[in-house]
Amino acid sequence: MEKELKKIVIVNNRFFPNSGPERCMFNTIKMFEKDGVTVIPFSVKRSRNVKTPYEKYFVTPLYGDDIVYFNDANNMGMLKKLKILGTCVYSFEAKSKMSALIRDESPDLVYMQGIVNDISPSIIDSCKKYNIPVVMRLSDYNIICGNYYFLRDNNICKDCITKNVFECAKNKCVKNSFMPSFARSLAMFVHNILHVYDYVNAFVCPSSFMRDSMIEAGFPAEKLYHINSFVIKDDYEPCYKNKGYMLYFGRVSPEKGIEYLLEAKVSMSSDVPLIIAGKTNDESYLDSLKQYIADNSVKGVTFAGFKVGDELVDLIKNARFILSPSICPDNSPMSGIESMAFGKPMIGTDIGGITDQIVEGKTGFLVPPKDSDILAEKIDILAKDDKLIETMGKNARVNFEDNFSFRQHYDSLRKLFYKSLKK
């Protein structure tokens, strides 16, 4: 008799709306609860968390209740840094609290999403002790790349795979600093020595690039499942009209390659305006973009700042087309999925998860990373052809409904969960 899926634990470092992985997590919770499954969160204690009766199992934050990222932590002494280093490698607190949760709640399965640093893969040992199957979603490349991006000096780098994990420390890949880079190298080294991920039944890879990279790193192909990320179809009404501008929305940071977009703006023949919407954690990068605009007299560029809610929706729905000039292999950018859902063509770099999202010549164009000349050519094609924009936009919406919707994701994930229960 097939075991029923009645209760699952979802693990993530943040239990509040923050970015793409969290939106995916909360949507996943909704879809399982709608199907009658009890979902128990396991996370880190933070003041911004959504209230839950299960927060007694949450682990102590590394940097303080209101600090989410290492970048924002200041004035840490050596003792604090060593404690953080130890937690990144193996958190005995997280292991103990996961064990308590399993004893109290008897879940059927644990679904891990974001665990790096704050929680660590120590909780896998708790699941192993109590014979609870584990499925892990790979939101980024953290278990095989020290800085999560496969990027060093703005070039693709897989040295942690092809050489050894201490390349991260050697090259100061995390924030150009030895200590956090060494912490990441040591964590990956210990996890590999302990074979901590061997117990994971299945890995959910949001992109084909992720799956290929995991195989390259030595993970068994039969455990790796490419399941696209999603957004809820009914939340996105397509709009095939536009107000004439092209749009980039997302982080304003070096790995996103926005400087190549500005270079393309200089060389393209059309004068379609460009809006850049998003926040930055790197003011020097933003300043360099503005300096380039001034030095080269670039016209028609607007920095709209960070937009959310209706303001962001209006920006996307009224855009002529969307741009994604990333130079790092984004795993599965939510901006691409949202663009498809709104019926917008996209021009993006042929790298990482973006490659999966654009059907070349049908829903948009794929261009080589860092090639501003080809980017300009493709922009000019869309800028001058209203009919093509509408056709590509409608094709993008179809591609979304067929491959990036709630239904495809849920059906695939549920099937994988039941397969893991059988094991």
Side-chain angles (χ1 to χ4, degrees):
M1 183 177 178
E2 187 176 81
K3 184 177 180 181
E4 262 193 279
L5 186 65
K6 294 182 178 179
K7 190 181 291 187
I8 63 173
V9 176
I10 287 189
V11 183
N12 195 64
N13 286 333
R14 296 173 286 275
F15 194 61
F16 59 90
N18 184 65
S19 58
E22 283 70 49
R23 292 201 298 275
C24 181
M25 175 187 68
F26 282 109
N27 282 328
T28 300
I29 290 172
K30 283 180 187 177
M31 65 189 190
F32 274 104
E33 287 181 338
K34 188 176 180 180
D35 211 21
V37 178
T38 299
V39 181
I40 301 169
F42 184 86
S43 188
V44 179
K45 294 176 183 176
R46 303 189 197 279
S47 57
R48 295 164 61 186
N49 282 344
V50 173
K51 292 299 180 184
T52 170
Y54 300 105
E55 61 188 14
K56 62 183 179 180
Y57 300 110
F58 288 11
V59 302
T60 306
L62 292 179
Y63 318 118
D65 289 359
D66 297 313
I67 301 174
V68 179
Y69 300 106
F70 176 80
N71 266 6
D72 301 323
N74 298 312
N75 303 319
M76 290 189 294
M78 182 56 67
L79 191 61
K80 180 74 170 178
K81 289 179 180 178
L82 289 173
K83 183 179 179 181
I84 291 171
L85 172 61
T87 301
C88 293
V89 175
Y90 198 94
S91 173
F92 289 96
E93 181 197 10
K95 179 182 178 181
S96 174
K97 290 193 171 181
M98 175 58 79
S99 294
L101 186 157
I102 292 172
R103 288 194 302 270
D104 293 347
E105 299 295 334
S106 302
D108 301 307
L109 180 141
V110 170
Y111 183 37
M112 301 195 313
Q113 295 190 308
I115 62 167
V116 67
N117 296 341
D118 303 79
I119 296 174
S120 88
S122 59
I123 59 173
I124 298 173
D125 285 342
S126 299
C127 299
K128 183 177 180 180
K129 178 180 178 181
Y130 293 98
N131 199 31
I132 304 296
V134 175
V135 175
M136 184 175 184
R137 183 180 189 271
L138 303 171
S139 299
D140 57 41
Y141 307 107
N142 72 80
I143 69 174
I144 52 177
C145 172
N147 72 0
Y148 314 173
Y149 292 129
F150 280 141
L151 200 68
R152 178 160 61 88
D153 297 330
N154 284 345
N155 294 304
I156 297 296
C157 171
K158 287 191 173 183
D159 284 355
C160 285
I161 293 176
T162 58
K163 294 181 180 179
N164 66 75
V165 295
F166 284 101
E167 288 293 310
C168 176
K170 173 185 172 184
N171 296 299
K172 299 180 182 178
C173 292
V174 181
K175 309 304 176 189
N176 199 32
S177 175
F178 177 76
M179 273 304 292
S181 302
F182 176 73
R184 288 291 301 127
S185 288
L186 183 62
M188 291 189 293
F189 175 75
V190 172
H191 300 159
N192 290 343
I193 290 294
L194 295 177
H195 296 278
V196 70
Y197 294 109
D198 287 2
Y199 182 73
V200 176
N201 295 81
F203 295 91
V204 174
C205 303
S207 68
S208 54
F209 181 87
M210 169 64 85
R211 186 176 188 275
D212 293 343
S213 298
M214 288 288 286
I215 293 172
E216 186 180 357
F219 285 79
E222 64 272 15
K223 284 190 174 186
L224 301 165
Y225 296 82
H226 177 193
I227 300 177
N228 288 326
S229 299
F230 71 98
V231 294
I232 304 298
K233 174 182 168 182
D234 292 344
D235 292 344
Y236 294 81
E237 181 183 356
C239 177
Y240 303 116
K241 304 298 180 183
N242 67 81
K243 292 187 177 179
Y245 57 85
M246 54 185 178
L247 173 69
Y248 166 85
F249 66 101
R251 280 197 315 276
V252 179
S253 54
E255 73 275 6
K256 296 301 182 180
I258 300 170
E259 63 267 37
Y260 300 101
L261 185 53
L262 297 181
E263 289 178 8
K265 188 79 170 68
V266 171
S267 60
M268 64 193 214
S269 60
S270 55
D271 59 356
V272 57
L274 167 64
I275 295 179
I276 298 170
K279 62 181 177 181
T280 184
N281 292 323
D282 188 340
E283 291 295 334
S284 62
Y285 178 68
L286 180 60
D287 290 343
S288 71
L289 297 178
K290 292 179 177 179
Q291 189 63 52
Y292 180 87
I293 290 172
D295 291 345
N296 293 275
S297 302
V298 186
K299 305 297 183 184
V301 179
T302 301
F303 289 93
F306 183 54
K307 300 294 182 183
V308 294
D310 290 342
E311 279 190 303
L312 180 58
V313 168
D314 286 344
L315 268 180
I316 302 171
K317 291 182 75 170
N318 290 309
R320 194 169 176 81
F321 49 89
I322 308 300
L323 297 152
S324 185
S326 187
I327 62 172
C328 76
D330 288 316
N331 188 15
S332 182
M334 295 302 291
S335 58
I337 300 174
E338 290 174 328
S339 299
M340 285 187 277
F342 280 124
K344 297 298 172 181
M346 186 162 71
I347 302 173
T349 45
D350 190 3
I351 188 172
I354 299 174
T355 302
D356 294 332
Q357 294 178 347
I358 298 175
V359 182
E360 173 63 26
K362 188 174 181 181
T363 69
F365 296 114
L366 290 164
V367 300
K370 300 184 179 182
D371 196 324
S372 55
D373 290 335
I374 295 181
L375 180 58
E377 288 175 16
K378 300 303 182 183
I379 289 174
D380 281 333
I381 290 172
L382 283 186
K384 299 171 183 176
D385 195 332
D386 290 334
K387 183 63 178 175
L388 181 61
I389 283 178
E390 183 174 347
T391 300
M392 282 189 165
K394 290 178 178 178
N395 290 339
R397 175 68 182 195
V398 172
N399 187 40
F400 157 71
E401 292 181 4
D402 289 347
N403 299 301
F404 296 89
S405 66
F406 156 84
R407 181 47 54 190
Q408 68 79 28
H409 184 92
Y410 183 55
D411 288 348
S412 299
L413 192 61
R414 188 174 174 81
K415 187 184 299 183
L416 181 56
F417 281 6
Y418 272 103
K419 187 175 182 178
S420 298
L421 286 181
K422 289 179 182 179
K423 292 182 179 180

